[in-house]
Amino acid sequence: NKFSVNGGSISMYLGGRRGGVIADPAVVKSKKLVSCSFPCDGSTHERYYSGCGKLREPQCDSCNGPDQNYDWCNGNLHGVPMWSCGFRPNETADMLQAFRGVKNGTSPLLPGHSTWRNCNKDPGGNACCSPCACWAYSKDEHNEVIIVPQDWDSALPDALWAFVLPDPCLHDANCKRVADEYYAECQEEFKDKCPPRVGMNLNDLKNPFHVISTASSGIDIVL
């Protein structure tokens, strides 16, 4: 996604100091793994329906009727401070268009837009007052896609395409230790079905991925 590029480098959550995975798109689609998505950090740990609904309050997901607590964008970007509306599983292209607006600063979900005209534009230092760019400047925002953990677990190992170790994580001892532990668990459980680890140079916009040796974590092959 070209809109993930910021100032000549690829922007990632926490600056790339987190390991991750690449999911096999064919498996994700065939098993309908995606539940919803958001054009910025969705603060999904505080939402109904496993992260896809409105801000959670002290009641069950559907106490007053089925699907009452979803907040889909439905072609109209809106939200409340820290919580943007969401996109359905079949609306990923629309989410990416909305993400484009967040990254280039034109989204109605950002501080300074007519809805949030008096909102502070410096993230983190003051109370959040817009749906997006609460904890990072809009150019540094990431999008968010929700997959229910139980669905993901049942799709393993087929859903795994690769483990990703961004260079900032590779050179951060604690981050790399955690990433190594996850990869070791995969090898223990799935043996030769565990996919390779792929390094990622965030400053290489044309060929960011490289294969990492499982033995030494040195770079073997540039893709």
Side-chain angles (χ1 to χ4, degrees), residues 67-80:
D67 301 338
Q68 63 159 346
N69 286 318
Y70 282 112
D71 186 21
W72 302 121
C73 293
N74 290 329
N76 175 35
L77 293 175
H78 63 274
V80 297

Side-chain angles (χ1 to χ4, degrees), residues 89-214:
N90 63 345
E91 296 175 335
T92 304
D94 295 328
M95 182 277 287
L96 290 174
Q97 278 294 110
F99 180 54
R100 174 184 183 180
V102 170
K103 295 290 283 187
N104 65 24
T106 63
S107 173
L109 301 172
L110 296 174
H113 185 267
S114 58
T115 308
W116 320 101
R117 190 176 302 279
N118 298 320
C119 187
N120 53 271
K121 295 185 179 181
D122 293 324
N126 299 288
C128 177
C129 55
S130 59
C132 293
C134 281
W135 314 117
Y137 289 104
S138 61
K139 62 184 178 62
D140 297 320
E141 269 282 17
H142 56 272
N143 53 42
E144 190 167 355
V145 177
I146 295 300
I147 295 177
V148 176
Q150 293 86 343
D151 295 341
W152 173 255
D153 289 346
S154 67
L156 297 178
D158 296 338
L160 282 172
W161 212 3
F163 280 80
V164 181
L165 193 64
D167 286 354
C169 183
L170 179 64
H171 301 300
D172 182 298
N174 187 58
C175 183
K176 184 178 180 300
R177 176 185 57 78
V178 174
D180 287 346
E181 290 173 356
Y182 281 126
Y183 191 69
E185 289 180 13
C186 179
Q187 289 182 310
E188 181 178 353
E189 183 167 356
F190 300 119
K191 305 298 188 285
D192 59 346
K193 292 184 178 180
C194 188
R197 289 211 291 184
V198 179
M200 187 174 184
N201 180 355
L202 303 186
N203 296 314
D204 188 340
L205 304 185
K206 292 185 177 180
N207 300 290
F209 297 107
H210 50 77
V211 174
I212 297 177
S213 166
T214 57

Side-chain angles (χ1 to χ4, degrees), residues 15-28:
R17 284 180 289 276
R18 284 290 186 276
V21 299
I22 298 177
D24 186 323
V27 176
V28 169

